[in-house]
Every structure is written in C-alpha cells, then in structure tokens.
Amino acid sequence: MLKKLFFVCTFSLISFSLLAQETVITLWKTVPNQKETNEQEIVKIGNIKSISNVQVPSFEVFIAPKNISTKKAVLILPGGGYGNLAFDHEGTNFAKWLNTLGISAFVLKYRLPKSKSIIKPHLAPLQDVQRAIKLIRFNAEKWNIHKNKIGVLGFSAGGHLAATLGTHYDYKSYENQDNIDNLSAKPNFMALIYPVISMKDAITHQGSKFNLLGKNPSKEIVHFYSNELQVNNKVPPTFILHTTDDNIVPIENSLFFFQALKKNNVLTEMHIYPKGGHGFAFGKNNPHLKNWIALLDKWLKNQ
C-alpha cells in the first residue's frame, strides 16, 4: 500500500512538474494598434490545430529541463499565410522537440492582419514578434536562458515574419509601454523553413501578400516587407530550408534571400531538397525529408 501511495505521489509530482513548464504569457498590458470590437478568436481542431482571428497575442512557454539545458531559446512562428496559425503542426510540436535538445521554446500566437480589430493590419505581426523577443530577453534569468542566445524559427508566412524581424528588429513599430521595451528585439539567430520572403509579385505567395498588405499596397510598403531587399551585415546568422518542387511558396524566395545574405557576409546555411512540396513540418512520412531536422539540430548546436 505504501509503495502504491509513493508511486501515485511521485507520478503526481512529475506530472505537475511537466505541466508547470507550460505556461501562456500575454504580450501586452494594452495591445497597441487595436480597437475594441466584438470579434472572437477562432480555434479549429482537426488534423492540425488552427487558430485565427487572434485578439489577445501571447506565447506558450516550454522550458528545457535544467539537467540538459543549453540556455538557448527559440521563438517559434507558425505559418498559415497570415490568415491562420498552424499552431501545433508548426508550433508546439517543435517546441517539445527543441526541449529534448535542451533548448527552451516559445510558440507565438501573433495577431493576423485580416482581423477587423487591427488599425494598421501589416504592423500587428511585427509588433507582436518584437515584443515577444523582448519579453523572453527580459525573463531570461528566470527561465534559465542566456539573453544573447535567443533565436527565431519560422515556417512559411511565419518564416516571412521571422525574416522581417531579422531585418527590421530595430524598426520602432510601437511606442514603449514599459522597461521591457528598452531591450533589443534582435534575434541572435534565425531558421527559416519553406519561408515566404518577398512581397514582389514575381515570387511572393499571393495569399500571404494579400492578407498582410491588402489589395493595392504601395510600392513603399511592398519594398519594406520584401526582406531580400532589407538585408545588411547586421542580420543574424541564418538557416534556410526549402524544396525545389514547392508550388505554394516558390523556392526563389529562399534563393534571393540567400544571395542577399551572402552579399552582406551574413553567416548562412541553406539546404534545398528536390522533392517535398510545402508545409511538411517534420516530414516524417517523406523519405526525402524525414532527416532534415538533424541538419537543424546540428546547426543550432553551433549557434
């Protein structure tokens, strides 16, 4: 009986410890660039957990176990064409995997520009990702993270947001709310998986462009969000992965970004697979792709 009680208590403590590692943190005291409406967040659970119409931006916290911690952290940006978020497929599933590598992870639920509550739609995702990096940096000691080992991992449109952060981390997208906003929003490294990079018609993903910039964006705003045109030598080290047969987001997005990074002497590693399409995440069921995460693992170890 005592053994059974000990087992139950031990199991409960372990379960509590694991659950305690996962927390949801809201980004803002007062959400900038947003007006009050009756809109509600929409969550759909199917093969993929999809979130749209985000009203309260936040991130889920997954802290790596102390005994294997590298003190590195990654902010994960799920894709979804700036219309929804593939929150588990390109988010929480990767957070749990990163924890096994000793890397703490944070999955960002960022605002999507189609929401009627947003005043300047194109600014909201950038505001949220800048604030998220600053929040992680502010809480680095509490979460057993080194403040200069915080990177970003983005998929598809989330890759565009990651690249926008990497090229526009010092753009003042909102007024400071507190001391947290005095910190840098620059990621120390970034990994872009089948990313949207450009807003130029010849190579962009039209759905992402329309959702982010609207029907008739100005030349100036298209230029601002075409990240291959925004690279300088201060962009953080970058990992890029794409497939040649991606018929959703053309591979030219990654190729042009790689060329810009190379021209500016930014440390860059790029992998191109001949087959695999788009949105494959771990790619476990694809013989061409199932080992790609080993490449990312090795790259992360060197950051």
Side-chain angles (χ1 to χ4, degrees):
M1 183 66 182
L2 285 174
K3 285 184 178 180
K4 184 177 180 181
L5 182 61
F6 176 79
F7 174 79
V8 171
C9 290
T10 303
F11 179 79
S12 298
L13 286 170
I14 292 171
S15 298
F16 178 80
S17 176
L18 291 171
L19 288 171
Q21 292 182 34
E22 299 181 24
T23 309
V24 176
I25 305 293
T26 56
L27 300 185
W28 307 97
K29 294 175 182 177
T30 302
V31 183
N33 185 31
Q34 186 162 296
K35 59 188 177 183
E36 193 171 332
T37 68
N38 60 0
E39 287 191 308
Q40 299 292 320
E41 179 177 297
I42 299 169
V43 180
K44 294 181 180 179
I45 307 293
N47 292 333
I48 294 173
K49 180 181 179 180
S50 173
I51 301 177
S52 58
N53 218 33
V54 173
Q55 300 299 305
V56 182
S58 62
F59 56 65
E60 288 194 24
V61 180
F62 295 78
I63 301 301
K66 273 195 172 183
N67 62 323
I68 62 168
S69 175
T70 61
K71 293 202 170 184
K72 293 177 185 176
V74 170
L75 177 65
I76 303 174
L77 311 179
Y82 283 119
N84 61 77
L85 304 175
F87 203 73
D88 54 356
H89 185 63
E90 296 171 343
T92 54
N93 292 347
F94 279 87
K96 293 168 186 174
W97 170 69
L98 287 166
N99 279 179
T100 69
L101 308 179
I103 299 171
S104 293
F106 305 81
V107 185
L108 184 62
K109 185 171 70 173
Y110 54 93
R111 284 174 292 164
L112 299 160
K114 290 181 71 177
S115 171
K116 294 176 183 177
S117 64
I118 300 173
I119 299 166
K120 292 183 179 180
H122 66 88
L123 267 184
L126 178 57
Q127 291 171 326
D128 290 348
V129 74
Q130 286 182 338
R131 176 70 175 184
I133 286 283
K134 292 176 181 181
L135 265 171
I136 296 167
R137 193 157 272 141
F138 183 80
N139 289 287
E141 186 176 350
K142 180 176 77 172
W143 287 331
N144 193 36
I145 293 165
H146 193 293
K147 66 180 182 179
N148 293 323
K149 293 183 178 182
I150 301 169
V152 63
L153 166 63
F155 298 82
S156 193
H160 180 268
L161 183 54
T164 303
L165 177 69
T167 54
H168 291 300
Y169 54 84
D170 57 354
Y171 176 76
K172 193 170 181 61
S173 66
Y174 62 92
E175 294 300 320
N176 285 16
Q177 290 197 353
D178 49 34
N179 289 336
I180 295 169
D181 288 321
N182 293 324
L183 298 173
S184 173
K186 183 179 180 178
N188 299 106
F189 52 90
M190 58 183 181
L192 313 175
I193 313 304
Y194 42 83
V196 179
I197 292 293
S198 185
M199 291 288 114
K200 295 172 72 174
D201 280 333
I203 63 171
T204 193
H205 174 241
Q206 291 294 339
S208 295
K209 179 180 180 179
F210 176 76
N211 287 335
L212 183 64
L213 304 185
K215 190 174 182 180
N216 295 302
S218 66
K219 289 182 179 179
E220 290 77 15
I221 202 168
V222 168
H223 185 270
F224 182 88
Y225 286 105
S226 292
N227 293 309
E228 79 280 13
L229 305 178
Q230 304 299 327
V231 175
N232 58 35
N233 61 8
K234 295 181 181 178
V235 172
T238 303
F239 175 99
I240 305 172
L241 184 119
H242 220 122
T243 63
T244 304
D245 69 346
D246 189 333
N247 61 4
I248 304 296
V249 177
I251 192 174
E252 283 76 11
N253 282 269
S254 288
L255 294 176
F256 288 176
F257 197 57
F258 173 80
Q259 289 174 347
L261 293 167
K262 181 176 179 291
K263 182 179 178 180
N264 285 275
N265 298 312
V266 176
L267 292 173
T268 310
E269 179 174 323
M270 182 168 68
H271 298 274
I272 300 173
Y273 284 80
K275 295 180 181 180
H278 188 78
F280 48 79
F282 282 107
K284 290 178 180 178
N285 298 321
N286 189 317
H288 295 285
L289 298 168
K290 64 181 181 180
N291 294 321
W292 81 262
I293 58 168
L295 300 173
L296 179 58
D297 177 12
K298 184 178 179 181
W299 182 81
L300 287 168
K301 282 182 168 66
N302 292 324
Q303 300 313 307

